[in-house]
């Protein structure tokens, strides 16, 4: 309908504005850091701080570009999962540890159900699964207070591995839940927090590529629970 077309056009306009801001911010920061690092009087401590800042901003730019590329692949149905054997428990534990370290020690509580304890080697697309978990858990961290935990529960049923990520954060209004996996969509209540609106769209596309499905349950000021499974 015309109304739908207008809504898509508005979302694209919003995305272009947000993406431009998201790209401009790290570029401006990098230019500032480069001006500082060229100062011959810069001491060692300040140089280390600048190097850390440059690394953060380059990583941020890399993630933004990766989101844009992944979104394009999903749009064109060229996002294909490639299976490889991984030590499943070690793989997930390392993801959790890395996320805790990169988020100032934020606590992520990992729980393997008894029926998944026998899962040693799993054949799946490690890059896709890492991206899915990173995106969802980072969202849980971003949209909740630092004092709260993020819970990650994993269980196995037949040829599926089930994931549940729960936070106790700001939540999403019920009226917006049906749109959270749409391209460019950002919850109105959280638009003051940086983001492109591509993250969950990409997550859903990758989950689908891995033979799975994803759902969300959320209440404002209570928290959000994201559930998905992949086929192994």
């Amino acid at each position: 309908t015309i109304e739908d077309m207008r809504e898509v056009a508005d979302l694209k306009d919003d995305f272009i504005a947000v993406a431009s801001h998201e790209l401009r911010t790290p570029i401006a920061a990098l230019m500032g850091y480069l001006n500082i690092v060229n100062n011959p009087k810069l001491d060692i401590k300040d140089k280390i701080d600048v190097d850390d800042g440059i690394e953060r901003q380059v990583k941020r730019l890399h993630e933004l570009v990766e989101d844009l590329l992944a979104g394009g692949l999903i749009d064109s149905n060229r996002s294909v999962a490639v299976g490889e054997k991984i030590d499943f428990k070690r793989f997930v534990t390392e993801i959790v540890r890395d996320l805790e370290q990169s988020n100032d020690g934020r606590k992520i509580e990992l729980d393997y159900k008894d029926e998944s304890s026998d899962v040693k080697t799993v054949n799946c697309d490690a890059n896709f699964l890492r991206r899915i978990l990173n995106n969802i858990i980072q969202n849980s961290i971003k949209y909740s207070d630092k004092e709260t935990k993020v819970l990650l529960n994993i269980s196995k049923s037949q040829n599926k591995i089930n994931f549940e990520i729960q936070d106790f954060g700001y939540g999403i209004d019920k009226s917006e839940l049906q749109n959270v996996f749409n391209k460019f969509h950002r919850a109105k209540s959280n638009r003051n927090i940086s983001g492109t609106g591509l993250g969950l769209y990409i997550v859903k596309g990758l989950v689908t590529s891995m033979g799975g499905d994803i759902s969300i349950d959320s209440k404002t000021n209570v928290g959000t629970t994201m559930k998905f499974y992949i086929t192994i």
Side-chain angles (χ1 to χ4, degrees):
T1 65
I2 294 177
E3 184 177 347
D4 290 336
M5 292 174 66
R6 285 175 178 167
E7 183 178 357
V8 171
D10 289 342
L11 286 171
K12 285 184 177 181
D13 289 343
D14 287 346
F15 168 75
I16 290 171
V18 170
S20 298
H21 172 74
E22 291 291 311
L23 289 167
R24 189 181 297 116
T25 301
I27 289 173
L30 283 170
M31 292 175 67
Y33 282 130
L34 289 174
N35 287 333
I36 295 172
V37 80
N38 287 328
N39 184 350
K41 297 181 180 179
L42 192 68
D43 60 35
I44 297 298
K45 182 181 180 301
D46 288 338
K47 186 179 186 307
I48 292 173
D49 290 341
V50 169
D51 288 344
D52 289 344
I54 290 174
E55 183 177 351
R56 285 196 306 272
Q57 298 306 324
V58 169
K59 182 179 178 181
R60 187 176 177 186
L61 275 174
H62 178 262
E63 290 171 349
L64 287 168
V65 172
E66 286 293 307
D67 278 353
L68 294 172
L69 293 173
L73 289 174
I74 291 169
D75 283 346
S76 58
N77 295 316
R78 289 186 291 126
S79 180
V80 180
V82 179
E84 62 178 288
K85 289 184 178 181
I86 61 172
D87 182 329
F88 183 74
K89 186 172 183 178
R90 179 180 178 182
F91 173 79
V92 177
T93 301
E94 287 177 350
I95 289 176
V96 169
R97 183 192 62 200
D98 291 346
L99 284 168
E100 286 179 333
Q101 290 181 350
S102 62
N103 286 280
D104 299 322
R106 182 70 175 273
K107 181 61 180 174
I108 302 167
E109 192 170 294
L110 175 61
D111 177 34
Y112 286 90
K113 297 290 188 285
D114 291 340
E115 59 266 35
S116 71
S117 61
D118 293 331
V119 178
K120 301 294 184 182
T121 302
V122 171
N123 193 55
C124 71
D125 192 309
N127 289 329
F128 279 14
L129 183 54
R130 182 182 293 106
R131 185 165 196 139
I132 292 165
L133 288 172
N134 277 339
N135 194 296
I136 296 176
I137 295 174
Q138 287 281 24
N139 274 356
S140 291
I141 291 171
K142 185 190 296 186
Y143 297 109
S144 60
D145 294 329
K146 293 182 179 179
E147 295 75 18
T148 62
K149 294 180 180 179
V150 175
L151 309 181
L152 170 58
N153 297 317
I154 300 174
S155 62
K156 182 177 181 292
S157 57
Q158 296 180 343
N159 65 331
K160 298 177 181 177
I161 297 184
N162 307 295
F163 300 82
E164 179 179 303
I165 299 96
Q166 182 181 11
D167 66 59
F168 305 93
Y170 314 142
I172 302 169
D173 189 83
K174 185 178 180 180
S175 63
E176 295 197 77
L177 287 180
Q178 62 182 355
N179 297 316
V180 295
F181 297 110
N182 291 350
K183 192 175 184 181
F184 307 137
H185 179 80
R186 300 189 69 220
K188 293 178 181 178
S189 58
N190 294 327
R191 286 189 178 178
N192 60 323
I193 299 175
S194 64
T196 60
L198 282 173
L200 291 182
Y201 171 77
I202 292 170
V203 162
K204 184 174 178 61
L206 297 181
V207 168
T208 301
S209 297
M210 299 182 77
D213 199 7
I214 187 167
S215 64
I216 183 172
D217 182 39
S218 186
K219 293 182 180 179
T220 53
N221 301 318
V222 174
T224 299
T225 299
M226 196 84 70
K227 297 180 181 180
F228 73 93
Y229 71 85
I230 60 171
T231 303
I232 56 173

